[in-house]
Amino acid sequence: MYIGQMAKDILKWPRPFSPPVVKLEKRVIAEYGMPSTHAMAATTISFTLLISTMDRYQYPFVLGLLTAVVFSTLVCLSRVYTGMHTVLDVLGGILVTAVLIVLTYPAWTLIDRLDSASPLFPVCVIVVPFFLCYNYPVSDCYSPTRADTTTILAAGAGVTLGFWINHFFQLVSAPGESLPVIQNIPPLTTDMVVLGLTKFVVGIVLILLVRQLVQNLSLQVLYSWFKVVTRNKEARRRLEIEVPYKFVTYTSVGICATTFVPMLHRFLGLL
């Protein structure tokens, strides 16, 4: 996502011209178009999920491949339909994603193991993404691209840090016996659906509370530090305020989702 978002502000290819295109989505209209990061996200999520599970769970590969193709295609078509991207933007996003998957696939297992390898790992997880966000390419005019990029990288850093906390402090109980390489996907029952929805509601409420609390607190500290009038929306767009408050807020969200939500589930007997 960082590569895709950064490429937009480097290439500066405009979105489809309106008219003749009718633009149905207004929030990101100020961003540039190439590549489509929605196409990148949809392709990445669907195909990495397929690659990660095809040797782990027992299901028809053709069905999994068809699901990945349909999901990513629908997202890509939606970006053209809403007038946010050209076909070339979408194809560019898919191509970048395909290259990244091919280049990183050999290191997936190594990356997975890094989260518990060293006490210094959390420093890298926080410092590197924050540095990348703070040194994001400068655009000619303000757009939400930098803020969205910071949100994405911060959430990823928080999730990674949360997994490290779970391993390092042994908050996750080790499995009693080794799991088989290939497992059957359990059938979907009413009890599973109810339990899943309950866990989701409990988790999302806690995450929203943490998000609001950390956001308000970080903004107050930054406003005070830089002597900015409180509730000044324009001040939020300043580099020295926008990046730190977004990064702190969504890093906290990632940690909460992977560490504190499971602890709450365990406390309530939902695991």
Side-chain angles (χ1 to χ4, degrees):
M1 288 303 294
Y2 183 83
I3 291 172
Q5 296 281 74
M6 183 178 64
K8 286 184 178 182
D9 283 338
I10 292 176
L11 296 174
K12 299 183 179 180
W13 286 22
R15 290 189 182 275
F17 293 107
S18 180
V21 171
V22 177
K23 294 183 178 176
L24 304 178
E25 188 177 321
K26 305 298 183 183
R27 191 186 77 84
V28 294
I29 204 169
E31 292 184 4
Y32 294 105
M34 170 63 88
S36 167
T37 47
H38 278 78
M40 291 182 68
T43 307
T44 302
I45 291 170
S46 55
F47 281 93
T48 53
L49 182 62
L50 173 67
I51 295 169
S52 301
T53 59
M54 63 185 184
D55 293 329
R56 183 74 178 175
Y57 293 96
Q58 202 165 21
Y59 63 83
F61 175 76
V62 174
L63 179 61
L65 179 61
L66 181 63
T67 303
V69 170
V70 169
F71 175 75
S72 53
T73 301
L74 287 175
V75 173
C76 292
L77 290 176
S78 75
R79 303 311 291 163
V80 178
Y81 176 78
T82 54
M84 291 293 100
H85 288 287
T86 64
V87 174
L88 187 58
D89 295 341
V90 169
L91 292 177
I94 295 172
L95 179 61
V96 172
T97 298
V99 171
L100 289 174
I101 289 177
V102 170
L103 291 177
T104 60
Y105 176 70
W108 283 8
T109 303
L110 174 63
I111 294 169
D112 262 353
R113 290 173 180 171
L114 282 176
D115 62 8
S116 57
S118 168
L120 297 177
F121 183 68
V123 178
C124 298
V125 169
I126 297 298
V127 171
V128 173
F130 184 80
F131 176 82
L132 291 174
C133 293
Y134 211 84
N135 291 275
Y136 189 80
V138 178
S139 183
D140 298 331
C141 57
Y142 180 82
S143 80
T145 315
R146 185 181 65 200
D148 290 345
T149 305
T150 305
T151 298
I152 294 165
L153 260 67
V159 166
T160 307
L161 187 57
F163 285 131
W164 180 88
I165 291 171
N166 291 341
H167 286 293
F168 192 79
F169 294 100
Q170 298 181 345
L171 300 178
V172 181
S173 56
E177 55 185 16
S178 59
L179 297 173
V181 174
I182 297 179
Q183 304 178 55
N184 291 320
I185 299 176
L188 196 63
T189 63
T190 304
D191 290 342
M192 285 182 63
V193 172
V194 171
L195 179 62
L197 289 174
T198 304
K199 290 167 68 175
F200 174 79
V201 171
V202 169
I204 205 69
V205 167
L206 180 59
I207 287 172
L208 289 175
L209 288 174
V210 168
R211 175 185 174 274
Q212 195 62 41
L213 176 64
V214 176
Q215 176 176 287
N216 291 342
L217 183 59
S218 59
L219 279 173
Q220 290 298 325
V221 170
L222 289 166
Y223 284 161
S224 176
W225 181 269
F226 292 105
K227 298 179 172 56
V228 175
V229 178
T230 307
R231 299 186 182 280
N232 184 346
K233 291 186 177 180
E234 289 298 319
R236 286 193 184 193
R237 297 181 173 183
R238 288 167 51 177
L239 172 66
E240 65 271 20
I241 292 179
E242 183 177 62
V243 171
Y245 106 78
K246 286 276 187 182
F247 197 87
V248 170
T249 299
Y250 288 96
T251 298
S252 301
V253 166
I255 294 172
C256 177
T258 49
T259 300
F260 295 109
V261 168
M263 289 173 65
L264 180 59
H265 285 164
R266 193 174 295 108
F267 176 77
L268 296 176
L270 297 175
L271 290 181

